[in-house]
């Protein structure tokens, strides 16, 4: 009690300060009245008013300059009264200042009755350019702001689709509201009451720390997945390189007998193909003068594990499996779908995985050829979110393998169900990811491409790509990948021509997205659709060349090369168009033999077995062991490599080749 009395005056002063800060006016009056009646003194150190008349005048003057378009007065007041650490270090202040510069740069265009004064307009544009090259450069890698770096170079920004929103009254009103909120927040924050400070220091701020740590963990997991994708891609490239090198070495070794190449030279070439750790031992232990030695060593490096060491998985009773998939409980369905998927994704590439897939196909596991009213495929429409997701995951796993795609593509039934699920699924992100992944892999087959274009899938893709920051990396990459595959067809290009302005805006915005994995796909889609005269005309009208040249300054050598081809396509003569119209008349499929199981298929599992509950391979071999059948399912259909990015990362090996115009 003595301690309370000793600090009572200061504590009461803290309460008064907080009530004043939070604008509890009636409560404050009652509080002061009661303190006076009880003779309780208030600490004088905290009894001053928090409202500064000077700051109120500054806010009024700043808002007046905003309304009148007085750029010089506004930014003079801004720099005088907003502390430099906040202007340079606070992300909210930086973004607000960027939009304020846009407001003043286009003010004359919005508010002039006739033609704006050219000298004044040039001065404002020049001021904006200077800002972009100095302080504004910090936001040049941010998707939200990247399109605005082209604003000073566009002849008529009012007509440009990317900037149309800036010239609406609602945009200015929203910006002013953000400015008012920022000022109110800043000047309140500068007079934070001691009571609030003490509360935060007493542990409340730990919530923010935990949230930051959680976000860092999520970001670390995302980076880990990205690095895994890159690793898989590098590993695949490595195997391809070694395979080609082995063939070359065979040819070189054939010349040894003719003394066209010395063994020492051949030895040095081959040793350079191996890692640094292997070079010294190989250089001294391998006799490269013996025919076949080098190519044998190279090929041996491709297959350190022999297939005979990998056992085949036991056969299953597929009739019982399918019956439980249709009639069982939702939990049993989910565990069965998971176990069947794991059989595919965790099996060893080669004979083991091929045997698993052929067993699934020969027993028509997904009921692709069934005409029954109840089938496994219809689990895509299940009321259970887990069952829908796990069905989509299993279909995506099938689609990751060439034979699986052939099985699923025998009719358009699977395609229609996936399209329906894609457009309806708004609850579960992973379900949509897997449906989208399967559709992208389907787009390697020409009949399914045609069906997707006719079903208007391009319009759906364009719609969701309008807000790429709301999408997961997987959804973004596969959406852009699928869009490009469909745009390679003349029917797809003509579909894009119906909404040319929107398509061009979406693709130009995506050019600057922070996810660099999508850049080759965006470039490919742009290059392809610009073969249509009406789309080229729309692109020229919106200043597409200026926008593209902005990205040349930021891109790497390959990106620059691709953009240069896009610009060349943009400026092509109209008489060269129409050469690719025959692509819809070809009967062959753009299929290839690429099989890769992406790690995303098994990420973020929703169900875990409880004590005594079976799952995975143990569930299959305990409850569904069968004699199995060895029938094969291998429908006819030529293979043609087009583009499959189970890990979307590099430009497709497709009919679109950089370095060739569409007229070549």
């Amino acid at each position: 009690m003595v301690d309370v009395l000793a600090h009572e005056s200061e504590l009461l002063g803290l309460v008064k300060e907080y009530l004043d800060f939070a604008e509890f006016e009636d409560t404050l009056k009652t509080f002061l009245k009661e303190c006076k009646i009880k003779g309780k003194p208030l600490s004088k150190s905290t009894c001053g008013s928090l409202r500064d008349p000077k700051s109120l005048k500054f806010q009024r003057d700043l808002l007046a300059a905003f309304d009148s378009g007085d750029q010089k007065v506004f930014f003079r007041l801004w720099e005088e009264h907003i502390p430099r650490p906040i202007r340079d270090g606070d992300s909210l202040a930086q973004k607000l200042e960027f939009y304020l510069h846009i407001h003043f740069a286009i003010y004359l265009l919005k508010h002039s009755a006739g033609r704006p004064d050219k000298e004044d307009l040039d001065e404002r544009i020049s001021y904006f350019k200077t800002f972009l090259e100095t302080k504004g450069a910090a936001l040049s890698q941010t998707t939200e702001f990247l399109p605005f770096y082209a604003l000073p170079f566009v002849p008529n920004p009012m007509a440009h689709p990317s900037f149309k929103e800036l010239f609406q009254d609602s945009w200015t009103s929203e910006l002013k509201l953000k400015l008012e909120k920022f000022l109110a927040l800043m000047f309140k924050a500068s007079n934070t009451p001691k009571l609030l400070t003490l509360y935060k220091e007493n542990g409340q701020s730990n919530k923010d720390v935990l949230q930051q740590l959680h976000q860092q963990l999520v970001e670390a997991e995302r980076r880990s997945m990205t690095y895994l994708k890159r690793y898989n891609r590098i590993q695949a490239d490595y195997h391809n390189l070694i395979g080609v090198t082995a063939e070359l070495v065979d040819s070189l070794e054939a010349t040894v007998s003719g003394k066209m190449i010395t063994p020492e030279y051949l030895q040095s070439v081959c040793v350079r193909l191996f890692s640094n750790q292997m070079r010294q031992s190989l250089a001294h232990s391998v006799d490269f003068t013996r025919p076949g030695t080098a190519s044998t060593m190279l090929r041996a490096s491709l297959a350190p594990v022999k297939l005979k060491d990998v056992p085949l998985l036991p056969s299953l009773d597929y009739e019982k499996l399918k019956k439980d998939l249709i009639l069982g409980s939702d939990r049993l369905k989910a565990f069965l779908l998971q176990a069947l998927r794991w059989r595919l994704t965790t099996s060893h590439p080669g004979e083991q995985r091929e045997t698993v897939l052929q067993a699934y196909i020969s027993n028509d596991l997904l009921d692709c050829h069934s005409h029954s009213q109840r089938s496994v495929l219809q689990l895509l429409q299940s009321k259970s979110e887990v069952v829908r997701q796990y069905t989509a995951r299993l279909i995506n796993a099938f689609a990751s393998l060439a034979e699986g795609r052939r099985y699923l593509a025998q009719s358009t039934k699977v395609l229609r169900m996936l399209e329906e699920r894609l457009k309806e699924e708004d609850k579960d992100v992973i379900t949509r990811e897997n449906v989208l992944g399967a559709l992208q892999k389907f787009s390697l087959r020409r009949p399914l491409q045609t069906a997707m274009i006719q079903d208007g899938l391009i319009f759906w893709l364009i719609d969701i790509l309008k807000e790429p920051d709301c999408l997961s990396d997987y959804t973004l990459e596969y959406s852009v990948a699928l869009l490009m595959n469909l745009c390679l067809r003349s029917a797809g290009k003509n579909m894009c021509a119906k909404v040319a302005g929107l398509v061009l805006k979406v693709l130009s915005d995506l050019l600057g997205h922070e996810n660099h994995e999508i850049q080759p796909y965006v470039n490919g889609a742009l290059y392809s659709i610009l073969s249509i005269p009406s789309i080229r005309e729309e692109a020229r009208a919106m200043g597409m060349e200026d926008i593209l040249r902005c990205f040349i300054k930021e891109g790497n050598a390959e990106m620059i090369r691709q953009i240069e081809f896009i610009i060349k396509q943009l400026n092509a003569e109209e008489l060269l168009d129409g050469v690719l119209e025959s692509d819809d008349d070809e009967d062959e499929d753009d299929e290839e033999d690429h099989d890769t199981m992406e790690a995303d298929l098994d990420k973020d599992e929703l169900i875990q077995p409880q004590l005594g509950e079976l799952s995975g391979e143990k569930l299959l071999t305990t409850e569904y062991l069968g004699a199995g059948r060895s029938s094969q399912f291998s429908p006819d259909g030529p293979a043609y490599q087009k583009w499959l990015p189970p890990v979307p990362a590099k430009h497709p090996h497709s009919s679109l080749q950089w370095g060739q115009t569409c007229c070549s």
Side-chain angles (χ1 to χ4, degrees), residues 98 132 136-142 145-153 550:
F98 194 103
L132 293 178
L139 296 173
S140 62
Q141 299 302 314
T142 307
F145 297 99
L146 201 53
F148 300 120
Y149 285 81
L151 179 60
F153 306 98
C550 288

Side-chain angles (χ1 to χ4, degrees), residues 392 396 422 425 428-439 441 471-476 478 598 600 603-604:
N396 194 14
L422 181 68
E425 189 63 58
D428 189 77
V429 173
I430 296 180
T431 300
R432 189 170 71 170
E433 285 182 353
N434 280 276
V435 170
L436 191 59
L439 286 172
K441 294 157 191 170
L471 306 176
S472 66
D473 283 345
Y474 189 102
T475 301
L476 177 61
Y478 275 82
E598 64 230 44
D600 295 287
K603 74 174 183 180
D604 301 333

Side-chain angles (χ1 to χ4, degrees), residues 1 6 12 38 56 81 89 102 206 227 230 241 253 270 356 366 405 411 490 528 556 574 611 615:
M1 185 67 179
L12 293 173
K38 293 185 177 182
L56 293 175
H81 293 272
I102 294 175
N206 288 343
Y227 294 146
R230 290 177 182 171
L241 176 63
E253 288 174 339
C270 293
V356 171
L366 297 179
R405 289 192 292 280
S411 73
S490 58
S528 181
N556 55 35
E574 291 191 7
L611 187 63
S615 67

